[in-house]
Amino acid sequence: MKMDFNFDDFFKSLDWSKVAVKDGAAEGMHDATDDLLSKSRDLAPLSDGGGTLRRTSGKNVEVSGDEVSGEVYFSATERDKNGEVYNYALITHELGDSFKNPSTPGTQPKYLERPMKENAERYKQMVADSIRRELS
């Protein structure tokens, strides 16, 4: 007795699943980066009252091949007395214990790192839940 299987439909469903997983992961990554951006903006200092640091923040989600990546960034730069450009966002983020007098109550150094660490598991769950929704 001979048995034949045609796997075309099976492989097509795998291709569909791969697309659905990437779509779900991208949607979940957008949700996670939106949340991290919001939380980190609330913690970022308002040094001059103008909110330059908060205004220069943003997020980016990319899908490339089989990878989905997300980033949240702050990109404020300023010039020192000598005209040299320095990364104000990095300096304020890394101030540590020298951050004694925040310009706005409730702001703090590590304004991006802290909410990321505090919510890392939640963000992973957001991506996983979004993939599950896409596959259902």
Side-chain angles (χ1 to χ4, degrees):
M1 177 183 217
K2 181 179 175 185
M3 228 186 271
D4 291 319
F5 290 96
N6 183 335
F7 288 101
D8 288 341
D9 288 339
F10 175 72
F11 288 127
K12 286 178 186 175
S13 73
L14 288 179
D15 287 342
W16 176 84
S17 294
K18 187 176 180 179
V19 169
V21 167
K22 283 197 303 190
D23 288 349
E27 182 180 327
M29 187 66 74
H30 275 287
D31 293 344
T33 54
D34 284 342
D35 188 77
L36 179 57
L37 180 59
S38 175
K39 287 179 181 347
S40 61
R41 275 183 180 156
D42 289 346
L43 296 174
L46 288 167
S47 66
D48 59 5
T52 302
L53 186 58
R54 292 181 185 192
R55 280 195 316 276
T56 61
S57 63
K59 69 159 203 162
N60 187 34
V61 173
E62 288 187 17
V63 178
S64 178
D66 290 339
E67 293 185 18
V68 176
S69 61
E71 74 174 330
V72 172
Y73 59 86
F74 288 79
S75 63
T77 57
E78 291 188 0
R79 291 193 182 274
D80 65 15
K81 296 177 215 172
N82 301 321
E84 297 291 322
V85 175
Y86 64 94
N87 188 337
Y88 173 76
L90 179 62
I91 291 170
T92 59
H93 188 270
E94 298 300 322
L95 280 172
D97 292 336
S98 64
F99 193 83
K100 302 255 189 260
N101 188 19
S103 57
T104 306
T107 63
Q108 63 184 32
K110 305 287 187 186
Y111 45 85
L112 183 54
E113 183 179 328
R114 285 181 181 167
M116 177 63 191
K117 285 182 176 179
E118 290 169 1
N119 294 284
E121 290 304 314
R122 185 170 153 261
Y123 294 150
K124 289 177 192 175
Q125 191 64 49
M126 290 170 84
V127 173
D129 289 347
S130 185
I131 291 170
R132 275 190 211 92
R133 280 191 303 274
E134 192 67 34
L135 288 172
S136 62

